[in-house]
């Protein structure tokens, strides 16, 4: 009779699957640096952002410009439709002037901060995409600054403030109505800026 051969031992999965080649540590420069060396290199050599980082920063700038312009447009409309009419029940002219001045000072801080955020974020979007509509939004939002100082700050705001502090013979109602008319023009500019940003961002994400 033929001699019986022993049954071969079953192979383990690690023996059946092909072995992965070992990485050559000499070819991987990252493995040759410790944490201190990596920190030193990253802090001394300029870093080039990858595409994902640039896209994330662009989307952040788009969100900042859209959110800020939309909120400020709504604030401008509510100031005309709610803030100014709330002054009508005040009978004393000087008291009304002080109430208007309080509204104006609060809105002035919001206007300056929102203008800065919209202009900077839209300018970053322009440099990242070279889309001219972002630059148009920057021009629109910055155009309000010289308009405000030329037609509203000295001719109206200073007179109302002086009337609130010292009184006088100024026609307060005429000054406030003139201010509201100019503010509606600024509100229209705010709405146009918001529309331009929405239209540009939506077209870029199609």
């Amino acid at each position: 009779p033929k001699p019986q051969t022993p049954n071969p031992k079953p192979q383990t999965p690690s023996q059946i699957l092909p072995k992965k080649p070992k990485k050559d540590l000499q070819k991987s420069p990252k493995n040759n640096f410790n944490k201190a060396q990596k920190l030193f290199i990253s802090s001394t050599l300029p870093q080039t952002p990858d595409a994902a980082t640039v896209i994330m920063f662009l989307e952040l700038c788009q969100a900042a410009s859209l959110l800020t312009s939309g909120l400020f447009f709504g604030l401008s409309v509510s100031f005309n439709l709610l803030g100014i009419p709330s002054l009508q029940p005040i009978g004393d002219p000087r008291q009304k002037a002080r109430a208007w001045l309080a509204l104006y000072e609060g809105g002035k801080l919001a206007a300056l901060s929102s203008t800065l955020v919209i202009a900077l974020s839209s300018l970053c979007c322009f440099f990242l995409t070279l889309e001219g509509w972002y630059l148009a939004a920057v021009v629109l939002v910055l155009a309000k600054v010289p308009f405000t100082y030329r037609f509203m700050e000295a001719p109206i705001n200073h007179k109302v403030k002086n009337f609130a502090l010292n009184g006088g013979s100024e026609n307060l109602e005429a000054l406030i109505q003139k201010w509201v008319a100019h503010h509606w023009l600024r509100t229209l500019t705010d709405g146009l800026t918001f529309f331009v940003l929405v239209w540009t961002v939506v077209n870029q994400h199609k």
Side-chain angles (χ1 to χ4, degrees):
K2 294 182 180 181
Q4 294 182 355
T5 58
N7 294 330
K9 295 182 179 180
Q11 292 181 328
T12 61
S14 60
Q15 293 174 333
I16 299 174
L17 295 176
K19 293 183 179 180
K20 296 181 180 180
K22 294 183 179 180
K23 293 182 179 180
D24 187 1
L25 297 180
Q26 299 297 329
K27 295 181 180 180
S28 180
K30 293 183 179 180
N31 294 326
N32 296 330
F33 299 106
N34 56 32
K35 291 183 179 180
Q37 290 171 326
K38 289 179 181 179
L39 181 61
F40 174 77
I41 292 172
S42 62
S43 61
T44 54
L45 296 180
Q47 301 294 318
T48 303
D50 55 2
T53 304
V54 174
I55 292 175
M56 183 178 64
F57 181 70
L58 172 62
E59 291 178 346
L60 180 63
C61 292
Q62 289 174 338
S65 61
L66 283 175
L67 182 62
T68 309
S69 61
L71 288 176
F72 187 67
F73 175 53
L75 179 64
S76 299
V77 173
S78 64
F79 193 93
N80 288 337
L81 298 181
L82 300 176
I84 298 299
S86 67
L87 303 177
Q88 296 302 324
I90 303 176
D92 184 14
R94 290 188 64 182
Q95 189 67 26
K96 181 182 290 188
R98 291 168 184 164
W100 178 90
L101 190 61
L103 285 175
Y104 169 74
E105 291 297 333
K108 183 179 180 180
L109 181 60
L112 291 175
S113 58
S114 62
T115 298
L116 184 63
V117 172
I118 296 170
L120 289 179
S121 56
S122 299
L123 198 60
C124 289
C125 292
F126 168 72
F127 283 121
L128 291 174
T129 63
L130 297 181
E131 174 57 61
W133 287 109
Y134 287 117
L135 196 60
V138 175
V139 173
L140 283 172
V141 75
L142 292 181
K144 299 184 303 179
V145 178
F147 176 82
T148 299
Y149 281 93
R150 173 65 179 83
F151 297 102
M152 301 178 71
E153 188 67 24
I156 303 175
N157 299 342
H158 289 175
K159 291 181 180 179
V160 176
K161 184 177 182 179
N162 184 66
F163 183 85
L165 298 176
N166 306 316
S169 58
E170 296 287 350
N171 189 343
L172 181 63
E173 290 296 331
L175 288 175
I176 291 179
Q177 293 304 319
K178 185 178 180 181
W179 188 92
V180 170
H182 286 86
H183 187 60
W184 272 117
L185 292 177
R186 293 195 307 183
T187 304
L188 181 64
T189 305
D190 295 331
L192 186 59
T193 303
F194 180 59
F195 173 78
V196 167
L197 289 173
V198 170
W199 184 82
T200 306
V201 173
V202 169
N203 280 340
Q204 285 191 334
H205 283 270
K206 283 184 177 179

